Amino acid sequence: MIIDEIILGDCLKWIPKLKGVHLSFLDPPFNQGKEYRFFNDNLSEEEYWGWMKEVVREIYKVTEKGGAIYFMQREKNTEWVLRILRETGWTLQNLIIWKKMASAVPQRYRFNKAYQIIAFATKGKKPRVFNKLRVDYPLAPWHKYPRENGMYLTDVWDDIRELTSGYFAGDEPLRDESGKRIHLQQSPVALLLRIILSSTMPGDLVLDPFAGTGTTLVVAKQLKRHYVGIEIDPHYVEVIKKRLSKLRKADDISRYREYYRFTENLDRIWPMPEKHLKIPKQKTLFDVELSKHSKHILKDGRATGIEENQLT
């Protein structure tokens, strides 16, 4: 059985060799014409979605009954995502709106775009595991009283910032010696933490068939889940191995535990090593770490003149 491995290769060749998968996070290239060393990101619509359907079907075959998939895509592709999930046997549970904490993408003749979709689906009508997470969500201006026990998560996630938005990128994105991000589509640790906590238990197997820089694997390992990552780019595979071998401060999930402290079974689903028993207080996910060398500050909740290359 293949577990706790990062595999160099084509996911369609390796997924059939797996078994007993409990959760898959599917964040593929979006076919936007970006430059990848080992993938053509400018396929025809028929080719791209045919390929996606094949990947989703193979994941379904190796997933345990009640296991989950979280399929992330651009909002304009929602119809394709839902159709593929339905035609390959999955049952949709939620269409999650990830409203990213960044400037909206401007549009000329429609509303500006500010979110991506994450389709949460299961193999069977009900998930084998679904942990109802409670968070210490910041109060809206019109709320008069603080919540004593936090609130349950909804299908709108607007408390996790993306890592591709310039001055909000912070220390988490992996960078080369020049300061350029190694991978432009790196997913945030906070996003994978939420997904893995919601749909797995310690000891479960998590799959990421487009592993990228390995965020899914890094989070799964800290949560004591088994993992398998598949990545076609040899450079990214080496990056992932290094990232797994030594935990960076920016990858440490313990800083988010306070935010989830109202979850009833938190100790069971999020076992903590002794060195993390004392958790620094952090009530929200909105904290932004700017470089100590930056002369720019946040004023009135807005960033002033900060460029991406000025962050560490």
Side-chain angles (χ1 to χ4, degrees):
M1 184 174 179
I2 302 173
I3 59 170
D4 300 335
E5 295 282 352
I6 172 62
I7 299 168
L8 172 62
D10 184 338
C11 66
L12 281 177
K13 293 181 179 179
W14 282 96
I15 292 173
K17 299 179 182 181
L18 306 177
K19 61 180 180 180
V21 173
H22 298 105
L23 165 67
S24 294
F25 176 62
L26 184 58
D27 180 17
F30 288 172
N31 205 36
Q32 299 179 99
K34 293 189 175 182
E35 294 184 7
Y36 292 99
R37 286 183 289 265
F38 293 88
F39 176 73
N40 177 11
D41 198 42
N42 195 24
L43 299 172
S44 68
E45 191 173 78
E46 183 180 1
E47 286 179 296
Y48 178 76
W49 291 108
W51 172 57
M52 278 291 93
K53 186 173 183 178
E54 195 174 355
V55 172
V56 172
R57 181 186 289 116
E58 292 302 317
I59 293 174
Y60 184 88
K61 291 177 183 178
V62 301
T63 299
E64 291 285 300
K65 183 178 180 181
I69 187 171
Y70 286 73
F71 188 173
M72 186 156 74
Q73 262 287 350
R74 299 177 69 187
E75 89 297 328
K76 72 174 188 177
N77 295 326
T78 302
E79 183 179 353
W80 279 106
V81 169
L82 298 183
R83 181 192 303 176
I84 286 173
L85 288 170
R86 182 174 62 251
E87 292 179 353
T88 52
W90 297 91
T91 299
L92 181 70
Q93 300 295 343
N94 287 104
L95 184 63
I96 297 164
I97 301 300
W98 178 26
K99 185 180 181 297
K100 299 176 289 184
M101 297 168 61
S103 299
V105 179
Q107 302 290 306
R108 297 182 65 180
Y109 51 85
R110 58 172 69 95
F111 295 112
N112 292 351
K113 299 180 180 181
Y115 71 93
Q116 285 183 193
I117 62 155
I118 306 174
F120 161 41
T122 54
K123 186 174 181 175
K125 292 185 177 181
K126 294 182 179 179
R128 57 176 288 277
V129 170
F130 185 71
N131 299 308
K132 291 179 68 65
L133 305 178
R134 295 186 73 99
V135 297
D136 190 7
Y137 193 83
L139 293 177
W142 54 86
H143 290 157
K144 292 184 178 180
Y145 307 106
R147 304 181 186 90
E148 293 184 1
N149 298 305
M151 60 172 279
Y152 283 119
L153 285 174
T154 71
D155 55 4
V156 177
W157 297 357
D158 59 358
D159 56 345
I160 298 174
R161 73 174 186 266
E162 65 171 338
L163 302 181
T164 58
S165 52
Y167 44 75
F168 281 121
D171 293 330
E172 192 176 326
L174 293 153
R175 301 176 186 274
D176 61 22
E177 294 179 355
S178 69
K180 183 179 180 181
R181 284 172 297 175
I182 292 173
H183 196 300
L184 295 180
Q185 295 300 124
Q186 183 179 328
S187 294
V189 165
L191 182 67
L192 272 302
L193 172 64
R194 179 166 297 176
I195 289 171
I196 295 173
L197 276 178
S198 295
S199 290
T200 64
M201 296 296 293
D204 283 352
L205 179 58
V206 179
L207 168 65
D208 190 334
F210 300 97
T213 56
T215 302
T216 303
L217 315 189
V218 169
V219 175
K221 183 179 180 180
Q222 292 180 76
L223 289 172
K224 299 189 183 303
R225 274 68 165 174
H226 295 296
Y227 58 83
V228 174
I230 306 172
E231 174 54 49
I232 200 168
D233 190 321
H235 176 61
Y236 292 150
V237 169
E238 292 306 311
V239 168
I240 294 170
K241 289 179 179 178
K242 183 177 180 181
R243 198 175 175 192
L244 287 169
S245 67
K246 185 177 181 181
L247 185 67
R248 301 184 307 149
K249 182 179 179 181
D251 289 337
D252 190 341
I253 62 174
S254 65
R255 69 186 190 274
Y256 297 120
R257 190 174 170 99
E258 180 76 8
Y259 190 59
Y260 289 93
R261 68 187 183 278
F262 296 118
T263 301
E264 294 176 5
N265 59 340
L266 188 62
D267 289 336
R268 183 169 174 237
I269 66 175
W270 187 342
M272 292 289 291
E274 285 187 13
K275 68 177 183 178
H276 286 148
L277 288 180
K278 293 183 179 180
I279 309 299
K281 191 172 184 181
Q282 175 171 326
K283 290 188 175 182
T284 77
L285 297 182
F286 289 91
D287 297 337
V288 178
E289 292 186 20
L290 299 179
S291 168
K292 64 181 179 180
H293 303 294
S294 175
K295 296 180 181 179
H296 303 277
I297 59 174
L298 292 177
K299 294 181 178 179
D300 301 324
R302 294 172 293 176
T304 60
I306 303 174
E307 299 296 332
E308 180 183 314
N309 59 12
Q310 292 175 294
L311 297 175
T312 58

